[in-house]
Amino acid sequence: MNLAIFFDPLPEELVPAPATATALASCLTPFLDTFPDWRTADLALIGLDEWRGSAAGAPAAHGADAVRRRFYHLQKGSGPARLVDLGNLRPGLTLEDTYLRLREIVAALLEHGTVPILLGGSHDLDYGQFLAYETLDRAVSFATVDARVDMAEHDAAPAEEAHLRRMLMHEPNFLFNFAQLAHQQYLAAPEVLAALEKLHFETLRLGEIRSDVRQAEPLLRQADFVSFDVAALRWNDAPAYYPANPFGLTSEEASQLAWYAGHNDQLSSFGLYGYRPDHDPHGLAATTLAIMLWYFVEGYYHRRGETDFSSRRFIRYAVGLPGTPAKLVFYKAKRTEKWWLEVESLADSNLKRIVPCSYQDYLRAAQGDLPNRWILTQALLG
């Protein structure tokens, strides 16, 4: 598939000669004169400048390019850094055309095992990211990091305020699980949160992440893709969106979440949306987002391939319970000490899922209580 027809090359002045041989720019292949070979890359950066889904319209400058300037100058991490930059996506004639264009591009990358990193544009572009997973012919899970829960129902709502509803209501339904992270309760309608609870989806408020960011790790570890809105960060750390919000994730917490996403063996695409350079005169937010991308890439190169639960990489724990079920089975990875929980459907023993969990879930089961994650997964299995 010739993906080059969908992209504009990058300006040469945007990709300076690397200051050192260890800078990311020295090992990243950008689209300048020749379209890079994305099939042999581990990760592919895609710039987006589509804002028709936003009520605020398009910013004057290209957000992805502003982040690139900082990202290229960072030092490479411990991995081989087989990265390509495919340039900037040409928007379609309509917003729906852009979604479909993204679907086709992301699906092609997924087919070849290359992880797309989508950067820029309004948050509703994750709908195109989502549509690509329809081609996998299996149920998928995803997570969104956002200060708001974008499930507006009224017809006049801009796409960036209703895209989550569109994904959750999509037919045919290929969604298994969804997690909403870092929302702020005073920005989320109670009926929306109640609807997510009724659908047995997990939510993790900003305050819960603030008290212990590790609570977010199992939710991100279950995701096939992650969609991150820059508005989830507090304005002081990332002055790059409107309206300003004094509360939100710190840059350190956001980078930790990006690391968790990158480290997830299952995750196959990552979107970082909503950056407006016209609100970022000193480039602080651009630097924050560049560092978040660095942590995502570094997390990717620390993946351990922990998917074979019958291997010697795992310790299996069976915990007896007084009721139904009579037993729960947990798995602990010897190397990373991550935990998983086996959930067998009570209605059909042939339906079974091994889902990420925490050590606290194991301790709760050891005390005779069913972990909430088991209850939610059991409901999803039907």
Side-chain angles (χ1 to χ4, degrees):
M1 181 181 182
N2 183 18
L3 294 187
I5 61 174
F6 296 117
F7 290 92
D8 289 321
L10 298 172
E12 288 191 13
E13 63 272 13
L14 187 65
V15 190
T20 66
T22 56
L24 275 173
S26 67
C27 53
L28 183 147
T29 306
F31 179 22
L32 294 173
D33 299 319
T34 304
F35 197 67
D37 184 4
W38 52 272
R39 293 177 179 85
T40 60
D42 294 327
L43 305 109
L45 186 63
I46 296 172
L48 304 174
D49 194 29
E50 169 66 87
W51 294 92
R52 281 175 286 187
S54 170
H62 199 304
D65 286 352
V67 177
R68 283 181 171 107
R69 288 189 179 92
R70 275 77 178 176
F71 182 63
Y72 290 158
H73 285 288
L74 299 178
Q75 296 293 299
K76 70 182 290 289
S78 56
R82 289 187 291 267
L83 280 73
V84 293
D85 190 332
L86 302 185
N88 293 316
L89 179 71
R90 295 170 180 165
L93 291 176
T94 66
L95 180 57
E96 293 295 323
D97 289 337
T98 301
Y99 295 150
L100 295 177
R101 190 166 289 189
L102 266 176
R103 177 189 191 273
E104 190 172 352
I105 293 165
V106 173
L109 292 168
L110 296 181
E111 183 180 354
H112 287 83
T114 302
V115 175
I117 301 173
L118 308 170
L119 176 62
S122 52
H123 196 190
D124 57 287
L125 295 180
D126 66 351
Y127 181 62
Q129 181 184 3
F130 165 80
L131 289 177
Y133 287 82
E134 190 173 0
T135 65
L136 298 186
D137 196 29
R138 65 171 176 84
V140 300
S141 301
F142 76 98
T144 293
V145 184
D146 195 351
R148 291 173 168 81
V149 185
D150 295 329
M151 290 184 61
E153 291 188 71
H154 57 280
D155 294 337
E160 67 177 354
E161 295 178 12
H163 60 109
L164 180 56
R165 175 175 295 277
R166 192 172 183 185
M167 289 189 281
L168 299 185
M169 302 296 290
H170 181 76
E171 291 292 342
N173 178 27
F174 56 93
L175 179 64
F176 177 71
N177 200 5
F178 164 71
Q180 168 75 45
L181 286 78
H183 63 281
Q184 297 168 38
Q185 201 140 1
Y186 42 81
L187 298 178
E191 61 270 20
V192 170
L193 296 177
L196 294 180
E197 183 179 2
K198 187 176 181 180
L199 292 168
H200 310 294
F201 295 146
E202 292 196 67
T203 60
L204 194 65
R205 292 182 292 104
L206 172 66
E208 294 172 307
I209 294 177
R210 181 65 47 77
S211 65
D212 185 2
V213 70
R214 292 172 296 179
Q215 293 184 75
E217 192 277 331
L219 277 65
L220 292 171
R221 192 173 4 129
Q222 190 173 7
D224 289 282
F225 73 90
V226 167
S227 163
F228 202 122
D229 191 331
V230 68
L233 280 79
R234 65 184 184 185
W235 180 261
N236 287 352
D237 288 44
Y241 57 87
Y242 178 85
N245 186 355
F247 301 102
L249 297 167
T250 65
S251 54
E252 291 86 355
E253 290 162 344
S255 296
Q256 184 69 63
L257 297 183
W259 163 273
Y260 287 152
H263 199 249
N264 171 11
D265 290 303
Q266 181 173 309
L267 187 132
S268 51
S269 73
F270 181 69
L272 188 53
Y273 303 101
Y275 171 64
R276 291 180 168 273
D278 45 352
H279 291 289
D280 189 28
H282 302 291
L284 175 61
T287 301
T288 298
L289 300 190
I291 293 171
M292 286 175 62
L293 292 182
W294 187 94
Y295 273 103
F296 176 82
V297 172
E298 186 70 358
Y300 175 88
Y301 284 112
H302 278 77
R303 292 183 177 187
R304 300 303 180 197
E306 295 173 331
T307 55
D308 184 2
F309 296 98
S310 62
S311 71
R312 293 184 178 181
R313 293 185 177 187
F314 290 89
I315 303 173
R316 183 178 182 272
Y317 296 86
V319 180
L321 293 174
T324 302
K327 174 180 78 171
L328 289 185
V329 175
F330 290 85
Y331 298 90
K332 177 187 175 183
K334 294 179 181 178
R335 190 168 185 178
T336 62
E337 298 189 347
K338 292 179 180 178
W339 288 79
W340 281 262
L341 169 62
E342 185 175 285
V343 183
E344 182 179 295
S345 171
L346 296 178
D348 183 354
S349 59
N350 293 318
L351 291 177
K352 185 185 297 184
R353 280 262 181 168
I354 298 177
V355 297
C357 69
S358 65
Y359 178 53
Q360 284 67 34
D361 290 321
Y362 168 74
L363 292 178
R364 191 170 295 114
Q367 294 169 357
D369 296 327
L370 275 175
N372 190 53
R373 189 155 285 119
W374 184 93
I375 296 171
L376 292 175
T377 306
Q378 183 67 225
L380 292 170
L381 288 173

